[in-house]
Amino acid sequence: MAEALVKRWPSAETLIGGIGYGMVLATVYLLFFAAAHGAGDASTDVAGRFPDVVGSVSLAACFVFAQVFSDRLAKMGTHRLLWPATAGLAAFAGSFCLLGDFLARTPFMYAAWAFAGVCTTLLCIAWSNYLCSIEKAAILRSSIVAFVTMGAACLLLAFVDAWTRMLAVVMLVLLSSVFFMAVARNLNVRLYVSKRDSLENLHLDVRSSLSYCFTGLAIGYLVSEMAGSWKGSSGQLATLGVGILGAVLVAALVMKVKDGSFLLLGPVERFTFPLLVVGLLVEPYVGGFAEAACVAVLLSVLFLRDLARIVNRSVLSTEFTVQQCYLYVRATMPVLVGLVAGRLLSFASVAFLPDVAAVSCSILLVVMLSVGITVAPYGADPLTMPTTSADMGVSQEVRSSGLWRAACEKVAEKYELTPRECDVFHMLAHGRNAQVIAREFSLSIYTVKSHAYNIYRKVGVDSQQALIDQVEKEQKSIKKQITEPRGRL
């Protein structure tokens, strides 16, 4: 039991890296999406909330530019952005602590928040070095540690004043940079890969970006709504923290039930969709603490989707030859754009539809999430379900071997594969890819990928080649049992 506990517990490097990135995520939400400055507690105070909206818009816009110029950033070395971004964010938060009242009365307030958005973008991109260099076995643990850190920071800072929150931002960005330096010496430095080559190696589809964007849209809207509906910014931060920690709890339960190592975004989107629809349609008709509880549940579901996205993004970096900066920006940008759009939707609904804002926006979110699940029901590209589907090229002689089939049957029996999993397993063991298997059994390619994932999990491998190696090992064992008695005679 002690060995199992040690095996499941994150390593020191995973803890340090996960906590450091969690601090970066907490900084993003504290500054731009959770009223860190304490202004605009009333839902109708759009003007009081506008400066940090400028910051969040600049954050999303900078990610768009970073995608366009990712080659230049990668050649320069994204780790070089770490300390300038840290110094800029620390200067912004420190100035706000000292000159907040003065800045609030001048146009410099908007310039300061736009500057914060630029610095936050640079800090996030600097961390892409770490996020795309994690070993595959540590991806899920590191992501969960990051979400625990982010949720705990939001929850703890909900009970302090605005000045202390800004001071906490300074500490968060400084500590995150120190933690990055602690893990930087062990990063897997790769050869430069251009964005063009990345696009060829990893075929990404705009339809999955719509799904990410709609998830961010729902998060941004709900977080903005909580600013004015339940105890202002304190209630907003508390609800946000509870929602993030709730996502971690649900993820842990899912992984316990599935006994697997990864959260596949496609299945997560499928089983969370009905919960989102029910929650969004109920939320406008409840108030007070019940509303906060409902929003916390909705945020838990939405952040579970985001956690699965982060895990899948990191898995892709281990399975494909792709530029780290491009992959990080490409997978993160749609969510940030959605977060900003959600904030703007909340403000616009209060300004133009005050009487039916909550109901109309909830219906609109349900429609958008429905579109997202329709255009990418099981994942429109590898970002939603990473698998290795290349034909392994097993020879015809091996395929027709009776020993090979006997080895397949023995492995299937040993790991208690279901009848349908056995069918898929035999095809995988013969080197067939997902497209061929889907045609052979008249199945959806996403169903085949789901069966393949379950097979890999049960057998304890992480690729088709490793699965074939396992069958080959079993074949040699059977052959040895047949030939050894003859040798003794």
Side-chain angles (χ1 to χ4, degrees):
M1 182 175 179
E3 287 184 12
L5 183 61
V6 171
K7 187 177 179 180
R8 290 178 178 272
W9 189 255
S11 65
E13 184 177 344
T14 300
L15 279 173
I16 293 172
I19 292 173
Y21 185 58
M23 290 177 177
V24 174
L25 294 177
T27 300
V28 172
Y29 279 95
L30 284 169
L31 284 178
F32 305 111
F33 304 107
H37 56 298
D41 282 347
S43 59
T44 56
D45 187 8
V46 178
R49 303 290 304 134
F50 195 70
D52 59 324
V53 173
V54 172
S56 57
V57 170
S58 69
L59 174 67
C62 284
F63 263 81
V64 175
F65 281 106
Q67 181 182 346
V68 176
F69 299 106
S70 65
D71 281 346
R72 293 185 182 181
L73 292 171
K75 287 180 180 178
M76 179 186 68
T78 55
H79 64 281
R80 298 180 185 273
L81 304 172
L82 181 71
W83 288 110
T86 301
L89 276 176
F92 164 79
S95 300
F96 200 98
C97 291
L98 298 174
L99 306 171
D101 293 336
F102 168 75
L103 288 173
R105 296 191 296 269
T106 67
F108 291 108
M109 170 68 78
Y110 303 105
W113 279 98
F115 174 74
V118 174
C119 290
T120 305
T121 302
L122 299 180
L123 183 62
C124 291
I125 293 175
W127 270 90
S128 67
N129 267 345
Y130 167 74
L131 298 169
C132 294
S133 301
I134 312 173
E135 292 185 1
K136 192 170 183 180
I139 289 173
L140 181 61
R141 294 186 182 95
S142 181
S143 301
I144 287 180
V145 169
F147 267 57
V148 169
T149 303
M150 175 173 59
C154 291
L155 191 58
L156 292 174
L157 294 175
F159 303 100
V160 299
D161 56 33
W163 188 89
T164 306
R165 288 176 196 161
M166 276 298 181
L167 187 61
V169 167
V170 177
M171 297 304 298
L172 286 172
V173 295
L174 289 174
L175 285 173
S176 70
S177 298
V178 172
F179 282 15
F180 179 87
M181 296 304 296
V183 298
R185 61 178 179 272
N186 296 323
L187 292 182
N188 179 20
V189 180
R190 304 179 183 180
L191 296 175
Y192 169 74
V193 181
S194 69
K195 182 170 70 173
R196 181 176 180 179
D197 291 338
S198 299
L199 287 169
E200 292 178 356
N201 296 334
L202 182 63
H203 300 286
L204 305 177
D205 194 293
V206 70
R207 290 175 294 175
S208 64
S209 296
L210 283 177
S211 179
Y212 304 151
C213 184
F214 293 150
T215 297
L217 178 71
I219 293 174
Y221 172 78
L222 291 171
V223 170
S224 298
E225 283 295 286
M226 291 309 297
S229 59
W230 193 65
K231 296 186 179 180
S233 59
S234 295
Q236 181 188 31
L237 273 177
T239 305
L240 178 61
V242 170
I244 295 170
L245 294 176
V248 173
L249 179 61
V250 175
L253 291 174
V254 170
M255 301 314 298
K256 181 68 175 177
V257 171
K258 292 291 185 180
D259 192 27
S261 303
F262 297 104
L263 288 172
L264 292 177
L265 186 55
V268 167
E269 285 188 334
R270 291 203 302 277
F271 84 75
T272 57
F273 177 69
L275 299 175
L276 288 175
V277 171
V278 173
L280 287 170
L281 294 179
V282 169
E283 188 267 336
Y285 300 100
V286 295
F289 180 78
E291 180 185 10
C294 183
V295 171
V297 171
L298 285 170
L299 288 176
S300 296
V301 174
L302 290 165
F303 276 110
L304 178 64
R305 285 183 164 203
D306 198 47
L307 177 60
R309 175 190 63 84
I310 291 174
V311 170
N312 280 240
R313 179 195 65 204
S314 298
V315 170
L316 289 181
S317 68
T318 68
E319 295 192 344
F320 294 87
T321 304
V322 62
Q323 183 190 117
Q324 298 173 350
C325 178
Y326 171 74
L327 175 60
Y328 176 78
V329 173
R330 170 64 175 77
T332 306
M333 180 190 64
V335 180
L336 288 176
V337 171
L339 285 168
V340 174
R343 299 202 66 191
L344 296 177
L345 174 64
S346 175
F347 296 150
S349 64
V350 170
F352 301 108
L353 299 169
D355 296 330
V356 293
V359 175
S360 58
C361 287
S362 290
I363 294 174
L364 179 62
L365 289 176
V366 169
V367 171
M368 288 185 171
L369 290 170
S370 301
V371 171
I373 202 76
T374 301
V375 297
Y378 297 95
D381 60 43
L383 276 176
T384 52
M385 189 173 287
T387 58
T388 52
S389 59
D391 193 324
M392 296 295 119
V394 180
S395 67
Q396 182 63 35
E397 181 182 354
V398 170
R399 291 175 184 171
S400 59
S401 169
L403 285 179
W404 187 262
R405 182 165 187 84
C408 290
E409 291 174 352
K410 193 164 184 178
V411 171
E413 182 181 359
K414 178 180 178 181
Y415 293 102
E416 299 179 351
L417 302 183
T418 66
R420 178 55 80 185
E421 288 173 353
C422 286
D423 294 337
V424 175
F425 169 71
H426 280 282
M427 296 290 285
L428 290 171
H430 282 75
R432 302 302 189 187
N433 61 28
Q435 290 83 358
V436 173
I437 299 173
R439 289 197 303 267
E440 179 72 21
F441 297 115
S442 300
L443 297 173
S444 161
I445 188 171
Y446 308 109
T447 302
V448 172
K449 288 182 177 182
S450 182
H451 284 313
Y453 168 76
N454 289 330
I455 293 167
Y456 293 164
R457 174 176 57 83
K458 289 182 178 180
V459 178
V461 298
D462 58 4
S463 68
Q464 188 174 5
Q465 184 59 61
L467 188 74
I468 292 172
D469 292 343
Q470 185 84 357
V471 176
E472 188 175 19
K473 181 180 178 181
E474 190 65 42
Q475 183 196 30
K476 290 179 180 178
S477 176
I478 296 174
K479 188 174 181 180
K480 185 177 180 181
Q481 291 175 7
I482 296 174
T483 57
E484 273 189 350
R486 293 180 180 176
R488 288 195 297 268
L489 292 174

